Amino acid sequence: MNEDAKTNSKKSLISGYLQKTFTLKNLKSYITFKNFLKLLLYVVLFVIYYKSEMASRAAGQSREMLTIGTRQFPVSSLSGVYTSIMTIILMTWVLVYKRFGFATSAVILTIRTTRLLRTLIRANYAPTILPALFTTLAAIVSVILVYIFYEMMRLYQAKHRKELESFNNSIMEAFSECVESKDAYTKGHSQRVALYTKMLAQRLGESKEDVKKFYNVALLHDIGKIGMPEAILTKPGKLTPEEFEIVKKHPVSGYEILKNVKIQEDIAAGAHYHHERWDGTGYPDGLKEAEIPWVARIISVADTFDAMSSTRPYREKLPINVIAEEIESCSGTQFDPKVVKAFLSLYLEGAFENLI
């Protein structure tokens, strides 16, 4: 590979990384009122710390007396008060800003310790410097202990969250398998739809957290079929109008089953709305365009793709190029054009070749 090709390759990789990392959606997720308040608090604490340090130095060098009521105190005694305020600010940084706060505190304490050690050496180890040095060392120990406590809590919470997530996933897997056990032809359908939904969500730029949520929602999109007669589910021929009306009830049945599940707030959305159409002619509520929940619009494409790429009682699976043409032709009528565009980009890359 020549130098120009290598340079272009590096630029392409960097460009791709930047596009993935610094999307408008990711940027908006950081520009929030909460983050603005955190930034404001950081600046305020920094200003208070700086003012306290200046006041502590001035008080330590003062020989004046402070009168409070009838009693007098040396102004130098206020140095310890300002130092305590500074230590509280350092620990607050760690508690509020976690690793970034710890890094800030570590840098400040390193600078302070270095300055005090230089002063101690220049003053021929004068004992007047020792209190400030010992106070700084105490602040270092305090900040480290607070950070260790935070890390231990973070690791414990991460472990607990992972265990809970694993438990929730196992429950949802069990639910989906329970539905599919009624129909041998749709075995694995929910898992495949969940996988395709995940792929589409990633291509559409959703966050890792949302991709996980969408996967779980898709996994249970057909749970309403659990109450449907097996004769209808496994019927080899065309459904009668009456039978189709029964089938059309499964989104509402799925919603009723999942509406009170607290594992995930939008877990029922996929089951309820995955048969709605972009043009408003779907069921059960006839929603259209942006009225349809975003996750349901993605599941709709994933569900259709798996249905067409799987063998059913009434037909053999279709070639992938035929499926892609059909989904593209339904863009703007049955499907959200944005989701179809993401599907077609994956199709053209051959992302589905080894999955069907």
Side-chain angles (χ1 to χ4, degrees):
M1 185 182 290
N2 58 41
E3 289 300 318
D4 289 340
K6 287 182 180 179
T7 302
N8 291 333
S9 177
K10 287 180 181 178
K11 286 182 178 179
S12 177
L13 287 171
I14 293 170
S15 175
Y17 174 78
L18 290 175
Q19 287 178 1
K20 184 180 287 188
T21 306
F22 298 106
T23 61
L24 182 60
K25 185 170 183 177
N26 288 341
L27 186 61
K28 285 181 178 179
S29 69
Y30 286 106
I31 304 175
T32 63
F33 182 67
K34 180 180 178 181
N35 286 341
F36 172 74
L37 288 179
K38 288 180 74 174
L39 177 61
L40 183 63
L41 176 62
Y42 182 88
V43 173
V44 169
L45 288 174
F46 192 87
V47 171
I48 294 173
Y49 181 92
Y50 177 77
K51 294 290 186 182
S52 297
E53 184 169 19
M54 293 298 101
S56 178
R57 289 189 196 180
Q61 296 170 1
S62 176
R63 297 293 179 265
E64 297 178 4
M65 300 298 290
L66 177 67
T67 302
I68 301 178
T70 59
R71 302 185 64 181
Q72 287 190 324
F73 301 90
V75 173
S76 59
S77 63
L78 293 176
S79 179
V81 176
Y82 291 122
T83 302
S84 297
I85 293 172
M86 292 156 59
T87 302
I88 291 171
I89 291 173
L90 292 171
M91 289 192 289
T92 302
W93 268 327
V94 176
L95 289 171
V96 177
Y97 303 98
K98 312 303 188 282
R99 292 180 180 176
F100 180 72
F102 177 73
T104 301
S105 299
V107 169
I108 288 174
L109 287 169
T110 300
I111 294 172
R112 194 205 298 181
T113 303
T114 303
R115 178 175 55 79
L116 287 171
L117 287 173
R118 285 178 179 174
T119 304
L120 184 65
I121 294 169
R122 287 173 184 171
N124 293 321
Y125 302 96
T128 53
I129 308 298
L130 293 178
L133 183 60
F134 288 141
T135 304
T136 301
L137 292 175
I140 292 173
V141 172
S142 300
V143 166
I144 291 173
L145 288 176
V146 169
Y147 184 69
I148 290 173
F149 175 76
Y150 153 71
E151 280 294 314
M152 290 174 64
M153 290 298 297
R154 185 184 66 81
L155 292 173
Y156 171 78
Q157 290 172 353
K159 181 182 178 183
H160 178 70
R161 189 162 50 247
K162 188 174 182 180
E163 290 174 349
L164 184 62
E165 184 179 325
S166 177
F167 176 70
N168 291 341
N169 290 341
S170 65
I171 290 176
M172 286 185 279
E173 290 279 355
F175 267 126
S176 66
E177 289 178 10
C178 184
V179 175
E180 292 174 359
S181 66
K182 299 185 68 174
D183 183 5
Y185 280 97
T186 59
K187 186 70 174 175
H189 169 69
S190 295
Q191 285 82 1
R192 291 192 299 272
V193 171
L195 175 61
Y196 301 148
T197 298
K198 177 181 176 180
M199 293 168 66
L200 287 168
Q202 289 172 331
R203 179 52 54 95
L204 288 161
E206 296 299 320
S207 65
K208 287 184 179 180
E209 190 64 30
D210 283 342
V211 168
K212 286 182 181 179
K213 289 180 180 178
F214 288 8
Y215 179 90
N216 292 337
V217 173
L219 200 58
L220 299 179
H221 77 283
D222 266 346
I223 196 170
K225 289 183 178 179
I226 200 167
M228 284 178 56
E230 289 186 33
I232 294 178
L233 285 174
T234 58
K235 185 176 180 179
K238 186 178 180 180
L239 298 177
T240 65
E242 293 77 14
E243 290 170 335
F244 186 59
E245 286 302 314
I246 293 174
V247 170
K248 286 171 67 176
K249 292 178 180 178
H250 84 269
V252 175
S253 299
Y255 171 74
E256 290 297 324
I257 293 170
L258 296 173
K259 66 180 182 180
N260 294 320
V261 175
K262 304 301 181 184
I263 293 173
Q264 192 175 302
E265 60 181 356
D266 57 352
I267 197 72
H272 198 184
Y273 300 113
H274 69 283
H275 281 296
E276 298 289 357
R277 292 172 54 106
W278 185 251
D279 60 8
T281 61
Y283 61 89
D285 296 337
L287 302 182
K288 66 178 181 178
E289 299 182 2
E291 294 174 349
I292 307 168
W294 176 231
V295 65
R297 284 180 260 162
I298 298 174
I299 292 173
S300 178
V301 173
D303 186 38
T304 300
F305 174 65
D306 186 68
M308 298 176 75
S309 61
S310 304
T311 297
R312 294 298 174 92
Y314 48 87
R315 61 148 176 80
E316 293 293 318
K317 69 177 184 178
L318 301 175
I320 190 169
N321 62 306
V322 174
I323 300 171
E325 290 172 5
E326 180 64 23
I327 289 177
E328 184 177 18
S329 70
C330 293
S331 176
T333 53
Q334 184 175 350
F335 306 121
D336 182 339
K338 187 177 180 181
V339 181
V340 172
K341 184 178 179 181
F343 169 81
L344 292 174
S345 70
L346 288 169
Y347 161 69
L348 292 173
E349 290 178 6
F352 301 113
E353 292 293 337
N354 298 320
L355 299 177
I356 61 174

